[in-house]
């Protein structure tokens, strides 16, 4: 399906906004949580310091969940504009 200029711009705007949101989430869990890890170590979770748990385990879990969420959200945008791949 071919989109006209207005539809392509609307599709790109939604895709760009989705990408920016996910990059902000990625930045928070890749850098910000690590910057505050020493302060988080004052608390513990399952016997481990919270800073260690959030940086070593929590960030990785968020990244994997984020991949699936991004895929699902982008597919919804593509379906909305009629450019989704055949399933």
């Amino acid at each position: 399906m071919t989109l006209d200029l207005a539809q392509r711009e609307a599709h790109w705007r939604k895709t760009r906004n989705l990408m920016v949101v996910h990059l902000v989430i990625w930045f928070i869990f890749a850098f910000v949580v690590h910057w505050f890890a020493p302060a988080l170590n004052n608390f513990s979770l399952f016997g481990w310091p919270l800073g260690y748990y959030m940086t070593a385990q929590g960030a990785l879990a968020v990244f994997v969940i984020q991949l699936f969420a991004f895929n699902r959200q982008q597919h919804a945008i593509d379906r909305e504009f009629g450019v989704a791949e055949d399933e």
Side-chain angles (χ1 to χ4, degrees), residues 10-60:
H11 180 267
W12 175 241
R13 184 175 51 255
K14 283 191 171 194
T15 298
R16 184 183 57 231
N17 291 342
L18 177 65
M19 182 175 49
V20 167
V21 167
H22 279 275
L23 283 173
V24 168
I25 294 169
W26 174 84
F27 179 80
I28 289 169
F29 282 92
F31 293 104
V32 176
V33 170
H34 291 74
W35 290 334
F36 294 104
L40 292 173
N41 283 334
N42 294 328
F43 305 99
S44 65
L45 182 67
F46 303 119
W48 293 92
L50 184 60
Y52 168 78
Y53 182 77
M54 288 300 295
T55 56
Q57 305 298 324
L60 294 175

